Amino acid sequence: MTARLLIVGPPGAGKGTQAARISTAFGIPTISTGDIFRFNIANETELGKQVKAIVDGGDYVPDSLTNALVTDRLNEADAASGFLLDGYPRTTDQVRYLDELLASHGHALDAVIRLVADQEEVIRRLTKRAVEQNRVDDSEEAIRHRQEVYQRETAPLARLMDENNRSAAPRPVREVMIEAMISVPMKIPAMVAPVAIMSEVKYCLAIGNRRG
């Protein structure tokens, strides 16, 4: 069974931990734009040189360059039967590009996994960690700002992708929004949530494959 997945969640919701476990369970690579940027910069690829010049100048990497880097990574052999995207897409243009890219190969996202955590509790936990680890740039104001940016810019994209794929799906179940209710700090949920998530995703994929 293939699994082409996307995971989204606010900073501090434990997305990295959940992504690692889901990736292992499905035997697919986790693909994050941050890792892609760092790899290409470190290896001085042509795209990496462009990214470095932009980042060093204090600018945001444009969608066209980000899309090109993600396309290169998705074309690698280990992503042929599936992947878990983390940190991409982040804009409506990237959503459109990803849909078109996958469709050009006869594929589509199978599920969007959305982690949900209480915002005030996340802020409290991240603020405490910043103090303990002496992260001077992680003030409560900065942490709260990142939470607001996620709610304003990223969370709506997950809903947009769900709506787009429901209207254009070649099979009855193409993309399913799954909300993993994560209480913070993560103790018991760290063990329970991945099981619930993977169970739901596998169920949705099984239904889609059986009908499609």
Side-chain angles (χ1 to χ4, degrees):
M1 179 186 295
T2 60
R4 295 179 178 86
L5 311 172
L6 165 66
I7 186 169
V8 297
K15 185 159 55 73
T17 299
Q18 305 300 337
R21 291 176 175 177
I22 293 169
S23 177
T24 298
F26 283 95
I28 54 178
T30 297
I31 298 176
S32 75
T33 49
D35 289 342
I36 294 174
F37 289 166
R38 285 186 288 272
F39 175 85
N40 280 272
I41 291 173
N43 287 275
E44 298 185 336
T45 67
E46 283 304 311
L47 291 175
K49 291 176 183 177
Q50 294 179 47
V51 171
K52 187 175 187 304
I54 293 169
V55 171
D56 287 349
D59 295 321
Y60 289 107
V61 179
D63 285 351
S64 58
L65 183 51
T66 301
N67 291 339
L69 287 163
V70 171
T71 299
D72 277 357
R73 179 65 184 89
L74 292 180
N75 284 333
E76 293 184 19
D78 65 337
S81 61
F83 50 79
L84 176 63
L85 287 173
D86 176 5
Y88 178 92
R90 288 182 180 271
T91 68
T92 54
D93 284 343
Q94 289 178 8
V95 169
R96 188 178 302 108
Y97 179 85
L98 178 62
D99 276 345
E100 293 174 354
L101 174 64
L102 294 178
S104 70
H105 295 284
H107 302 314
L109 280 178
D110 294 297
V112 174
I113 304 165
R114 181 153 62 100
L115 303 183
V116 180
D118 179 79
Q119 181 169 304
E120 291 305 315
E121 183 59 26
V122 168
I123 292 171
R124 186 197 65 77
R125 184 167 71 105
L126 293 180
T127 302
K128 180 181 178 183
R129 186 177 69 181
V131 172
E132 293 173 346
Q133 298 180 2
N134 195 31
R135 298 185 180 186
V136 294
D137 293 333
D138 272 356
S139 63
E140 180 176 341
E141 181 180 1
I143 291 169
R144 190 174 294 279
H145 175 69
R146 288 196 291 271
Q147 294 289 324
E148 292 170 351
V149 169
Y150 169 80
Q151 294 298 336
R152 182 176 66 250
E153 298 181 5
T154 304
L157 292 180
R159 291 189 287 272
L160 173 63
M161 296 183 75
D162 187 47
E163 292 169 1
N164 287 350
N165 284 327
R166 287 181 188 279
S167 62
R171 66 188 192 192
V173 178
R174 180 179 179 188
E175 180 181 19
V176 179
M177 182 68 71
I178 299 168
E179 297 195 9
M181 303 306 294
I182 308 296
S183 64
V184 182
M186 292 168 59
K187 293 181 181 178
I188 294 177
M191 297 299 294
V192 175
V195 176
I197 293 171
M198 288 183 282
S199 174
E200 291 291 337
V201 173
K202 286 178 179 177
Y203 172 77
C204 294
L205 295 181
I207 294 297
N209 288 337
R210 189 161 64 239
R211 295 179 179 175

